[in-house]
Amino acid sequence: MNNSRKRRGKSLQTKATNGGCASATVDDFPKSKRLRKDAKSKDLIQQDGPVGLDTVSSKTQAPCSMNEEELLKRFSVRREYLRKNNIASSTHVFRKLCDSFETSRDPAKATAMSKYLRFQFEFLGIQTPQRRELCKPLWKEIKVLNSSDLRTLICEAWLSPEREFQNFAVDLFEKECMRIYSDDGLGSAGYATSTLDFARQFLASPKSWWDTVDPLAYKVVGPLVKKYPEYLLSVMDAWNVSGVTWLARTSIIYQLGYGKDTDAERLFRYCLKVAHEEEFFIQKAIGWALRQHCRVDQEAVKAFVQKNKKKLSTLSIREALKHVK
């Protein structure tokens, strides 16, 4: 094993910065005849049980079931077993991703990038264009992964300490959203709710921040809700009043890409339900969503703001009417 892989293995086991992937279960890992017949692996999985993340319930995090250090430790043990037995093809892809990122590390840029996000996350110093270029050779292998392997790979990336890995996880989720549960034999309702619930894990995690939440909201959640409104609109209703900042923000901005298909009544209703919140990211989301809808129906937005100017924050109003003449 080369030095970069050693560093990665040690990092995943010892660095539990900023949380991890909530509620990933053993069902999210690839199964094979070799794995099922191996008594040792069976014991390992049974002892491991459901993997979750024990967090303190707050406005930005949803309560889960296991502390992040233990999650990382158990995840690392299981992933290492699968790697040694060449069972999880996604782990092979992940090793390539780690090596590629490690060789592109730039400490100077890493400091600046961490500062931009208020020093909440570690960075390797790989900016978005370069990161996506480094990932291009992997997409051919990713395309042939089954649903279980895809979920494993997303979790592997999300659990890594450096922010570039979470950004990769979001890109992967966006590109392969419709395959996340495609091999699991679920009907439309099961597929829709399972995929959205899997996305929720990354929207209500200690690692969640606007840079990962926003693309998941309007590039993953938005298309899902649009395709399966009969199953998922009620979930958006619940998220809107959940008291969890990132879920509430998602409920407000998931329609950003809908254009003329935007449900204005629902958008306005969601905005009013959280208009009293002093949270910056909620106020900003309201303004952003209303400003986006201005492109479709400026008069409706102006009328809404005028009618509710005593309820909406100054920030929300300013953002909503930024481009109104």
Side-chain angles (χ1 to χ4, degrees):
M1 182 181 292
N2 61 34
N3 290 334
S4 65
R5 290 178 188 168
K6 289 180 180 178
R7 287 197 300 272
R8 172 64 47 200
K10 182 178 180 181
S11 178
L12 282 172
Q13 292 182 53
T14 60
K15 293 183 180 179
T17 59
N18 303 306
C21 171
S23 304
T25 70
V26 292
D27 291 332
D28 289 326
F29 293 84
K31 297 179 177 67
S32 69
K33 292 181 180 179
R34 183 176 183 179
L35 180 60
R36 287 194 295 268
K37 289 181 179 179
D38 190 299
K40 183 177 180 180
S41 67
K42 183 178 180 182
D43 291 340
L44 173 66
I45 291 178
Q46 287 179 340
Q47 291 170 9
D48 209 24
V51 179
L53 182 66
D54 187 16
T55 62
V56 178
S57 179
S58 71
K59 287 201 169 188
T60 57
Q61 300 172 15
C64 301
S65 59
M66 184 182 295
N67 68 64
E68 58 197 74
E69 185 175 356
E70 184 66 18
L71 170 67
L72 287 167
K73 185 186 299 182
R74 293 190 180 194
F75 192 98
S76 182
V77 169
R78 181 161 51 217
R79 192 188 63 241
E80 183 64 15
Y81 176 83
L82 296 175
R83 185 193 67 78
K84 287 180 178 178
N85 290 278
N86 295 315
I87 295 172
S89 56
S90 62
T91 300
H92 174 64
V93 175
F94 184 63
R95 289 205 308 274
K96 287 186 176 181
L97 179 70
C98 291
D99 289 346
S100 181
F101 278 8
E102 286 286 358
T103 56
S104 303
R105 184 189 289 269
D106 187 327
K109 288 182 179 178
T111 300
M113 293 168 75
S114 182
K115 181 179 179 180
Y116 182 64
L117 291 186
R118 304 179 185 177
F119 295 105
Q120 294 188 93
F121 309 104
E122 294 181 41
F123 279 85
L124 292 166
I126 305 172
Q127 296 176 318
T128 299
Q130 182 186 9
R131 185 189 79 243
R132 288 177 174 163
E133 192 65 30
L134 290 171
C135 293
K136 279 185 178 180
L138 300 177
W139 289 114
K140 188 174 182 179
E141 294 182 60
I142 290 172
K143 285 292 183 183
V144 299
L145 295 178
N146 61 34
S147 296
S148 183
D149 284 341
L150 278 174
R151 297 195 297 271
T152 299
L153 181 56
I154 290 172
C155 284
E156 286 175 322
W158 188 263
L159 284 168
S160 298
E162 297 88 359
R163 198 58 172 171
E164 288 86 349
F165 285 94
Q166 283 98 64
N167 294 143
F168 166 78
V170 171
D171 286 347
L172 176 56
F173 208 140
E174 177 193 345
K175 287 178 178 291
E176 301 293 338
C177 178
M178 296 306 171
R179 291 208 302 122
I180 296 296
Y181 281 93
S182 61
D183 299 329
D184 292 63
L186 304 175
S188 295
Y191 170 82
T193 55
S194 294
T195 304
L196 186 63
D197 187 59
F198 189 62
R200 184 200 61 78
Q201 299 173 24
F202 309 102
L203 291 166
S205 155
K207 285 181 181 283
S208 301
W209 198 246
W210 66 263
D211 64 317
T212 56
V213 169
D214 291 356
L216 282 173
Y218 63 84
K219 293 182 179 180
V220 173
V221 175
L224 272 174
V225 175
K226 191 173 186 179
K227 186 172 183 178
Y228 302 104
E230 66 272 34
Y231 307 126
L232 303 182
L233 282 177
S234 60
V235 180
M236 293 299 99
D237 292 342
W239 286 9
N240 183 239
V241 294
S242 65
V244 179
T245 294
W246 301 124
L247 295 184
R249 181 177 171 94
T250 296
S251 74
I252 296 168
I253 67 173
Y254 79 89
Q255 296 191 79
L256 284 178
Y258 283 20
K260 293 181 179 180
D261 293 330
T262 299
D263 183 341
E265 185 279 327
R266 185 177 295 273
L267 170 62
F268 294 156
R269 174 158 48 90
Y270 282 3
C271 288
L272 286 179
K273 281 184 176 292
V274 294
H276 64 282
E277 294 283 354
E278 296 181 358
E279 169 60 52
F280 169 82
F281 288 108
I282 296 298
Q283 294 182 4
K284 189 81 170 180
I286 292 172
W288 184 13
L290 293 175
R291 184 174 71 248
Q292 186 73 5
H293 191 53
C294 266
R295 299 182 178 186
V296 176
D297 194 342
Q298 185 175 120
E299 292 305 314
V301 172
K302 288 170 62 177
F304 172 77
V305 171
Q306 179 62 31
K307 181 180 178 180
N308 299 285
K309 60 183 179 181
K310 291 184 178 180
K311 297 179 180 179
L312 298 170
S313 69
T314 301
L315 173 60
S316 294
I317 294 173
R318 183 173 68 246
E319 289 294 318
L321 304 179
K322 181 180 287 186
H323 302 308
V324 174
K325 297 180 180 179

